Amino acid sequence: MSVEDRINELGYHLGEPPPSLGRYVRCVVTDGFAFTAGHGPFDEFGQVSVRGQVGGELSLEQGQEAARLSVVSCLASLKSALGSLDNVDRIVKLLGFVNCARGFTDTSAVMNGASELLIDAFGESGVHARSAIGTTVLPGGIPVEIELIARVA
């Protein structure tokens, strides 16, 4: 079963990568690695699907879902650059920013949503290093922004 099939079984679908919001590309592949730009929780049509602060308007569970949608957006850009997610040898690193209400400190739990999806989709090759950083604002009021690094087969 392909990685994309496993993602579909989890209830997510890779659409077209969301458009760049500035003068950058969504994914760069070089020297055997792929680096994505920061991605928010876009739907399969490239539209922001959720806005707000985790621990404020959004619950922890809603933040975890935003993290899953953000990493799915990263994977859409990765697929576009590589042709197939089956060309990913390993997810190496995940960097996540969480738009937190004052006093919310559970950024790691929010990012678990994305990490668990990657492990479910890629198996052991989806286990990765990770950083989870809390902030009080993200572009467009999105709750989560994620970038990832993958080793390419």
Side-chain angles (χ1 to χ4, degrees):
M1 178 182 295
S2 74
V3 172
E4 190 168 355
D5 288 341
R6 286 193 290 277
I7 291 168
N8 290 335
E9 278 191 348
L10 294 169
Y12 300 93
H13 303 284
L14 301 179
E16 291 297 313
S20 296
L21 302 175
R23 294 191 52 126
Y24 62 92
V25 294
R26 287 289 182 176
C27 185
V28 171
V29 180
T30 185
D31 296 327
F33 289 91
F35 301 81
T36 71
H39 286 64
F42 293 97
D43 63 21
E44 59 189 289
F45 306 107
Q47 302 299 310
V48 173
S49 59
V50 61
R51 297 178 198 276
Q53 286 188 312
V54 183
E57 304 87 23
L58 303 177
S59 68
L60 170 62
E61 292 76 18
Q62 290 170 309
Q64 290 170 328
E65 180 62 13
R68 285 188 283 273
L69 292 170
S70 297
V71 84
V72 166
S73 293
C74 287
L75 295 175
S77 292
L78 199 56
K79 177 188 172 191
S80 179
L82 300 176
S84 170
L85 293 179
D86 294 328
N87 293 324
V88 172
D89 184 52
R90 179 178 183 94
I91 303 297
V92 177
K93 173 80 191 245
L94 188 71
L95 172 60
F97 296 91
V98 180
N99 183 353
C100 300
R102 185 173 183 86
F104 183 84
T105 60
D106 214 355
T107 56
S108 288
V110 172
M111 293 308 300
N112 281 342
S115 293
E116 290 164 0
L117 187 141
L118 289 172
I119 293 166
D120 289 343
F122 289 91
E124 284 300 309
S125 296
V127 177
H128 52 273
R130 184 183 82 190
S131 298
I133 300 168
T135 185
T136 58
V137 66
L138 286 172
I142 59 175
V144 176
E145 183 173 339
I146 292 177
E147 63 180 56
L148 66 78
I149 300 169
R151 187 173 66 210
V152 179

